[in-house]
Amino acid sequence: MAARLAVPALLLLLLASSPAAAAGDEGPEKVAVALYYESLCPYSARFVVDRLARVFEDGLLDAVDLTLVPYGNARVHAGGEISCQHGPYECLLNTVEACAIDAWPDLDVHFRFIYCVEDLVVKRQYKEWESCFQKLGLAPEVVTECYKSEQGHKLELKYANQTDALVPPHRYVPWVVVDGQPLLEDYENFEVYVCKAYKGSPPKVCEGLVQPPVALETVVARNGVTYNSGGIELATAEEEGNGQQD
């Protein structure tokens, strides 16, 4: 597994890529990529930090229209109350990340923040998530006001509806959809599917990628996802992390 990008390094890559994106022409239509995840799922966190962040350095971002949906296996109960698979702190961070997306619609900005939070999840330091504001030079007020108000709850209900509307329904997280196709257990190879779907001149990174070794419908489940518990109490993120097989 590739070494994780340090937050400052990722920040430099994002800043370097932004002017080019603003100055260039529209070009071919980008490939829609959506990540349905939950903040304290160790597999979701590792995917964001170790895999998804690569698109900001390998040139694939030019071909991708990326959407993040922080809700995952949460559930909405009667009256609108939301419960999360890894407990109340996951509900808090799901809402914080939803508020970040709402406050900073620019992908370069909200992804930097979410990357920072999920990197802390990987390091089991997620309760220090507020340090990401200072690390990235972002004003915390707009996100703080959002997650402490009804606005944050409304955003999570929106993501609940979006997640529940998936066809086929998601069965676990991370759940990655490329060009309308869920990648199931093959989500770590998402770049291959992006390259295949992109109609323009393929980014250079596509040259070194090969087709997945097995068809999506025959992929066998492995210990690299967090399943919908159906209401069963699950281990904490730390305990799940200890059981991961890389």
Side-chain angles (χ1 to χ4, degrees):
M1 190 170 287
R4 296 193 300 276
L5 288 172
V7 171
L10 179 64
L11 172 58
L12 290 175
L13 288 166
L14 290 170
L15 292 177
S17 66
S18 297
D25 55 33
E26 293 184 4
E29 184 176 356
K30 293 186 176 184
V31 178
V33 177
L35 169 63
Y36 296 81
Y37 72 105
E38 55 197 23
S39 58
L40 291 186
C41 166
Y43 312 118
S44 293
R46 289 189 178 99
F47 178 71
V48 169
V49 173
D50 293 332
R51 298 285 183 172
L52 193 57
R54 291 180 181 180
V55 303
F56 290 93
E57 63 173 331
D58 63 15
L60 198 62
L61 188 63
D62 293 339
V64 169
D65 181 13
L66 177 62
T67 301
L68 303 177
V69 184
Y71 177 79
N73 295 330
R75 295 183 183 279
V76 180
H77 303 279
E81 180 185 358
I82 299 174
S83 64
C84 296
Q85 190 166 23
H86 297 92
Y89 214 95
E90 178 166 78
C91 282
L92 167 65
L93 289 184
N94 284 352
T95 306
V96 165
E97 295 186 8
C99 286
I101 294 169
D102 186 62
W104 305 307
D106 188 329
L107 175 65
D108 288 353
V109 181
H110 69 244
F111 186 85
R112 281 189 287 132
F113 181 81
I114 291 172
Y115 174 96
C116 179
V117 174
E118 295 305 312
D119 188 50
L120 291 173
V121 173
V122 171
K123 295 172 180 175
R124 303 181 190 176
Q125 299 171 356
Y126 57 85
K127 290 188 177 180
E128 301 174 13
W129 67 270
E130 290 178 285
S131 66
C132 290
F133 294 117
Q134 183 176 6
K135 289 176 183 176
L136 300 173
L138 296 171
E141 290 80 9
V142 63
V143 170
T144 301
E145 291 172 5
C146 172
Y147 82 79
K148 290 183 176 180
S149 71
E150 184 60 22
Q151 172 66 7
H153 184 66
K154 288 180 179 178
L155 290 172
E156 275 302 285
L157 290 176
K158 179 188 76 170
Y159 285 139
N161 290 334
Q162 189 174 336
T163 301
D164 291 343
L166 283 168
V167 179
H170 91 288
R171 302 198 300 271
Y172 40 74
V173 290
W175 186 261
V176 180
V177 179
V178 174
D179 199 26
Q181 177 185 37
L183 303 190
L184 307 181
E185 315 285 356
D186 204 30
Y187 64 91
E188 290 188 343
N189 288 318
F190 77 98
E191 292 172 309
V192 174
Y193 297 92
V194 171
C195 291
K196 183 178 179 181
Y198 188 55
K199 304 303 182 185
S201 177
K204 190 171 180 62
V205 65
C206 293
E207 297 175 5
L209 299 178
V210 296
Q211 291 297 318
V214 62
L216 285 180
E217 59 269 18
T218 63
V219 173
V220 178
R222 62 177 185 270
N223 187 21
V225 295
T226 292
Y227 285 87
N228 192 321
S229 67
I232 298 173
E233 184 176 355
L234 298 181
T236 63
E238 289 85 353
E239 289 167 340
E240 269 198 80
N242 289 338
Q244 165 102 12
Q245 296 178 3
D246 292 328

